[in-house]
């Protein structure tokens, strides 16, 4: 489970190495929009070198490659799948399942040629096109897919919203309104398929109050986590996506009460006037698991 995905440009000296020392749950190496078209080969080379020295116990690493329908994107797939690092390649601007399947076939050839177990490198999909949103249930069934990431800026442009932006000056419940259907659809597909689902993030890194609002909305919509564009955003993201001490205590009490009731043949428990049964208990178990995992991760 990932609360935060820290976006890292690979061509800033020392930044990739520094990202591993941050509290981010995972890092996203940006090879697409964050790299000038004349420096794509250089960025790929730097990323490949970084991956060859990546500790197997290090953070989860996701790499956003270039459009897989282009020669640059296809070279990204070949070069980064032939290392054997336990990473995921994030495919941008996906419109149909066959694009993901083509990428998976190319990755399989690269792994086979390098004598690497087939399937070592996973696929994540950017949800940032209208076709991608509408066909997401089918796309999510493609080989290797294990995660989804919302791409709000590109999607906003495609659906022609009046103002494109994922930064400041958005009231809390207005923030995702124009993309509410797309975001909720992505969450539903992710939950039905057992995939990780990460929201876009908040690009105005100086506005920490706005970051908190953005993370709060993402968490309420059901996302596992959200992207971060600065380490300064990470504590806020983690706070909003981690159950509170009070939520954890209530969940522990609820689980214990229901377990005790079941032993005596009861199926429903009332705690502080609230009926606690099946759906709430499933949520309570998840709250306990998330809280304990995140607490352990923080202490580690």
């Amino acid at each position: 489970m990932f609360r935060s995905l820290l976006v890292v440009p690979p061509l800033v000296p020392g930044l990739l190495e520094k990202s591993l020392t941050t509290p981010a749950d995972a890092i996203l190496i940006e090879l697409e929009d964050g790299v000038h078209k004349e420096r794509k080969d250089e960025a790929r080379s730097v990323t490949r070198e970084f991956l060859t020295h990546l500790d197997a116990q290090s953070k989860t690493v996701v790499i956003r490659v270039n459009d897989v329908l282009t020669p640059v994107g296809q070279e990204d797939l070949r070069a980064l799948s032939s290392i054997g690092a336990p990473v995921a390649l994030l495919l941008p601007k996906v419109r149909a399942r066959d694009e993901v399947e083509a990428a998976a076939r190319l990755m399989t050839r690269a792994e086979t040629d390098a004598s690497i177990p087939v399937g070592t490198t996973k696929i994540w999909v950017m949800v940032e096109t209208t076709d991608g949103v509408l066909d997401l249930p089918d796309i999510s069934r493609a080989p290797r897919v294990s995660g989804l990431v919302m791409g709000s800026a590109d999607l906003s442009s495609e659906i022609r919203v009046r103002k494109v932006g994922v930064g400041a000056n958005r009231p809390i419940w207005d923030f995702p309104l124009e993309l509410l259907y797309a975001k909720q659809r992505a969450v539903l597909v992710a939950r039905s398929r057992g995939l990780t689902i990460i929201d876009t993030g908040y690009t105005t890194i100086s506005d920490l109050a706005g970051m908190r609002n953005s993370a709060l909305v993402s968490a309420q919509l059901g996302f596992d986590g959200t992207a971060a564009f600065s380490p300064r955003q990470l504590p806020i993201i983690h706070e909003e996506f981690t159950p509170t001490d009070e939520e954890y205590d209530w969940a522990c009490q609820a689980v214990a009460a229901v377990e005790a009731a079941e032993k005596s043949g009861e199926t429903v428990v009332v705690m502080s006037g609230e009926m606690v049964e099946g759906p709430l208990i499933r949520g309570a178990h998840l709250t306990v698991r998330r809280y304990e995992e995140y607490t352990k991760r923080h202490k580690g």
Side-chain angles (χ1 to χ4, degrees):
M1 294 187 286
F2 310 115
R3 299 162 297 180
S4 58
L5 185 62
L6 179 62
V7 180
V8 185
L11 295 181
V12 178
L15 207 55
L16 284 175
E17 290 73 16
K18 184 178 179 180
S19 69
L20 296 178
T21 68
T22 71
D25 290 339
I27 65 172
L28 170 63
I29 303 176
E30 172 55 67
L31 299 186
E32 192 206 17
D33 292 340
V35 175
H36 189 276
K37 63 181 180 180
E38 300 298 331
R39 302 187 71 185
K40 298 292 188 180
D41 291 345
E42 179 186 359
R44 184 189 309 117
S45 178
V46 168
T47 300
R48 183 178 168 86
E49 177 66 17
F50 172 74
L51 295 181
T52 60
H53 296 94
L54 192 65
D55 190 318
Q57 303 303 315
S58 185
K59 296 182 186 300
T60 295
V61 175
V62 180
I63 307 157
R64 182 158 79 159
V65 299
N66 290 277
D67 191 333
V68 299
L69 298 181
T70 68
V72 174
Q74 291 163 13
E75 184 55 35
D76 287 342
L77 296 177
R78 283 189 288 265
L80 300 174
S81 298
S82 59
I83 302 171
V87 301
L89 302 186
L90 177 58
L91 311 186
K93 299 177 177 59
V94 172
R95 294 189 175 277
R97 176 173 175 169
D98 59 2
E99 296 175 20
V100 183
E101 291 176 337
R105 288 193 295 270
L106 195 155
M107 294 163 68
T108 294
R109 289 196 296 271
E111 289 170 339
T112 301
D113 291 344
S115 298
I116 295 168
V118 171
T120 296
T121 303
K122 304 303 180 184
I123 288 176
W124 282 23
V125 171
M126 286 291 295
V127 184
E128 57 182 347
T129 69
T130 51
D131 288 341
V133 171
L134 296 175
D135 291 343
L136 195 56
D138 193 37
I139 290 170
S140 69
R141 293 182 173 88
R144 298 180 187 247
V145 174
S146 64
L148 306 174
V149 179
M150 287 300 305
S152 294
D154 283 280
L155 184 56
S156 294
S157 296
E158 280 214 4
I159 64 176
R160 303 180 187 177
V161 302
R162 183 173 180 180
K163 179 181 178 182
V164 176
V166 290
N169 302 317
R170 301 300 301 273
I172 181 169
W173 285 111
D174 178 51
F175 182 84
L177 198 57
E178 64 271 23
L179 298 179
L180 185 57
Y181 169 76
K183 290 191 175 194
Q184 199 67 78
R185 183 175 175 86
V187 169
L188 289 171
V189 169
R191 294 291 167 252
S192 72
R193 298 290 297 160
L195 308 176
T196 297
I197 176 70
I198 303 295
D199 205 358
T200 303
Y202 193 73
T203 56
T204 307
I205 60 177
S206 61
D207 179 13
L208 297 184
M211 177 72 258
R212 185 174 298 280
N213 285 348
S214 173
L216 174 60
V217 171
S218 298
Q220 183 65 19
L221 288 176
F223 285 88
D224 291 311
T226 190
F229 299 95
S230 166
R232 294 177 59 198
Q233 296 177 322
L234 295 173
I236 294 172
I237 292 172
H238 290 173
E239 183 177 339
E240 293 301 331
F241 279 94
T242 301
T244 65
D245 292 344
E246 292 76 13
E247 290 169 337
Y248 174 68
D249 290 342
W250 181 92
C252 288
Q253 293 172 28
V255 169
V258 169
E259 288 178 350
E262 288 177 346
K263 290 180 180 179
S264 61
E266 302 293 333
T267 58
V268 178
V269 172
V270 177
M271 292 176 51
S272 301
E274 180 179 11
M275 187 172 67
V276 180
E277 54 181 349
L280 283 178
I281 286 302
R282 288 193 290 274
H285 279 289
L286 178 60
T287 295
V288 170
R289 182 162 64 92
R290 289 170 60 217
Y291 180 93
E292 293 180 349
E293 177 181 332
Y294 295 152
T295 302
K296 179 179 179 181
R297 186 181 301 174
H298 175 72
K299 290 179 178 178

